[in-house]
């Protein structure tokens, strides 16, 4: 059974950092690219990053570039998203998703992903 489970969301102050985790099971990270998306209340889902299955190369949306780092540990079946310099506008539910592909599709291509986690809440407020 394919599962993706996000964790690491929290309430943080502006300027803080978080590392989100995505634990996958039922498939191998060797075969799937993993994307991170977020959705704020009243807003559309936004693709923010993805990591390829072949070489671990990451892609980022322009809106977050420079503040995010995506990584993976295939042996542990984990994907991580480090978010630095958090801003109130980063407040959202963050989701990871899996696409059977060697390389990421467009970061915003949410319809490309077959499997989704249930999300983890990130809130940025003072």
């Amino acid at each position: 059974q394919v599962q993706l489970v996000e964790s690491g969301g929290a309430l943080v102050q502006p300027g803080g950092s978080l590392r989100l985790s995505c634990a996958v099971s039922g498939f191998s990270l060797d075969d799937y690219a993993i994307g991170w998306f977020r959705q704020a209340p009243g807003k559309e889902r936004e693709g923010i990053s993805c990591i390829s299955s072949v070489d671990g190369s990451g892609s980022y949306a322009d809106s977050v570039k420079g503040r995010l780092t995506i990584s993976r540990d295939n042996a542990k079946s984990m994907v991580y998203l480090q978010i630095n310099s958090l801003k109130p506008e980063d407040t959202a539910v963050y989701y990871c998703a899996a696409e059977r592909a060697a390389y990421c599709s467009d970061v915003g291509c949410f319809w490309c992903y077959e499997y989704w986690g249930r999300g983890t809440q990130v809130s940025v407020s003072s």
Side-chain angles (χ1 to χ4, degrees):
Q1 182 180 1
V2 172
Q3 274 193 316
L4 296 92
V5 180
E6 304 90 339
S7 62
L11 172 62
V12 297
Q13 292 188 342
S17 297
L18 277 177
R19 188 177 81 157
L20 305 183
S21 299
C22 175
V24 308
S25 60
F27 65 94
S28 171
L29 286 177
D30 291 336
D31 300 321
Y32 282 77
I34 302 296
W36 281 95
F37 294 78
R38 66 185 182 184
Q39 188 162 21
K43 294 190 176 181
E44 293 185 353
R45 183 168 19 183
E46 176 189 18
I48 55 175
S49 184
C50 64
I51 188 165
S52 77
S53 63
V54 173
D55 57 10
S57 57
S59 300
Y60 304 93
D62 289 342
S63 62
V64 295
K65 197 171 290 184
R67 297 193 295 121
L68 268 59
T69 303
I70 191 169
S71 61
R72 68 180 191 192
D73 185 334
N74 285 20
K76 295 182 178 179
S77 296
M78 296 291 294
V79 177
Y80 305 101
L81 185 70
Q82 177 73 32
I83 312 174
N84 298 324
S85 303
L86 280 157
K87 306 174 183 180
E89 51 263 42
D90 292 320
T91 295
V93 178
Y94 284 69
Y95 302 89
C96 60
E99 174 190 9
R100 188 175 179 93
Y103 293 97
C104 296
S105 301
D106 187 288
V107 170
C109 181
F110 65 86
W111 58 90
C112 296
Y113 290 84
E114 302 167 52
Y115 305 109
W116 290 79
R118 294 188 174 185
T120 186
Q121 176 71 48
V122 172
S123 299
V124 185
S125 175
S126 55

